[in-house]
Amino acid sequence: MHAQKCFISLLILVLIPISGCTNHEEFTVIDSINAKEVLTLEPDADIFQYDGIIYKTDIDWIETLSLTTDVQIGEIKSKTDTHTNFLDEMSNKLPIGAKIYSVKERKDILIVESNGELIRYLAIVEG
């Protein structure tokens, strides 16, 4: 019994300093990646920009998600084939007038309606 009390006391003395040394800072930093960076890595990527964030399609795992289209939040207003200096509601492949919808289940995925087809796009961020 005495050995057990000594072990518990020793354990407490060892754990108290360890628990006092934990770092409570958060290092989560999320920055958006720009169109030039995406297209440099993948020149044929289908992307558009909305609210300062680049969204990209053809990402396999988002196709398996059960998602519900919410409200229309915008539409593609301009298209570019050559430059990578994107503005909001600009696309490299989607036609002008394609409608952009939010998704009820996730904030990092948008759905675009183009020519009667619903296409899922994921926000491309680095962090």
Side-chain angles (χ1 to χ4, degrees):
M1 186 73 161
H2 178 70
Q4 193 176 25
K5 285 183 181 178
C6 286
F7 177 74
I8 292 173
S9 296
L10 181 61
L11 188 61
I12 290 172
L13 287 174
V14 169
L15 291 178
I16 288 174
I18 291 173
S19 66
C21 295
T22 59
N23 186 350
H24 296 287
E25 291 183 49
E26 289 187 27
F27 292 101
T28 304
V29 176
I30 297 177
D31 288 320
S32 60
I33 191 168
N34 65 34
K36 183 177 182 179
E37 293 169 314
V38 173
L39 294 172
T40 298
L41 295 171
E42 191 178 339
D44 291 332
D46 180 352
I47 62 173
F48 73 92
Q49 181 171 311
Y50 179 79
D51 201 20
I53 297 173
I54 297 295
Y55 288 81
K56 180 183 175 300
T57 193
D58 293 329
I59 299 173
D60 291 337
W61 66 266
I62 67 170
E63 298 303 325
T64 65
L65 300 176
S66 179
L67 300 173
T68 309
T69 304
D70 198 12
V71 296
Q72 183 179 344
I73 57 173
E75 68 179 52
I76 299 300
K77 293 184 178 170
S78 59
K79 183 177 175 181
T80 180
D81 292 332
T82 57
H83 69 82
T84 54
N85 204 9
F86 274 45
L87 302 171
D88 283 346
E89 299 179 322
M90 179 181 279
S91 167
N92 68 335
K93 299 201 181 210
L94 290 166
I96 293 172
K99 295 176 176 63
I100 304 168
Y101 294 90
S102 60
V103 171
K104 288 183 181 180
E105 295 80 5
R106 296 183 63 125
K107 301 291 183 202
D108 60 343
I109 296 175
L110 296 177
I111 293 178
V112 176
E113 182 183 352
S114 175
N115 299 320
E117 182 182 1
L118 297 177
I119 309 166
R120 297 172 179 202
Y121 287 80
L122 177 68
I124 304 300
V125 293
E126 58 187 4

